[in-house]
């Protein structure tokens, strides 16, 4: 039962990342971390950024 729940959760997360990839378009890197002053500290390539989405 736990395996089934984990599988569904992973499928949902993959679906969210796939839809985000389609909606964002062909841009460059995506921001991953910001300073308290709202400046981007570093960016990651799109696939890595969407794969680590939480």
């Amino acid at each position: 039962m736990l395996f089934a729940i984990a599988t569904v959760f992973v499928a949902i997360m993959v679906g969210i990342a796939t839809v985000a990839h389609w909606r964002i378009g062909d841009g460059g890197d995506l921001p991953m971390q910001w300073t308290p002053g709202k400046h981007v500290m570093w960016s990651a390539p799109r696939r890595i950024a969407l794969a680590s989405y939480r």
Side-chain angles (χ1 to χ4, degrees):
M1 180 66 173
L2 185 59
F3 180 74
I5 293 170
T7 302
V8 169
F9 179 73
V10 168
I12 290 170
M13 295 303 291
V14 168
I16 290 171
T18 302
V19 170
H21 180 70
W22 288 337
R23 293 186 74 177
I24 292 172
D26 289 335
D29 294 346
L30 298 177
M32 294 295 291
Q33 188 175 17
W34 294 265
T35 65
K38 307 292 183 188
H39 300 290
V40 175
M41 290 179 60
W42 66 278
S43 299
R46 175 183 318 277
R47 289 187 177 168
I48 294 173
L50 293 175
S52 63
Y53 172 76
R54 322 179 215 164

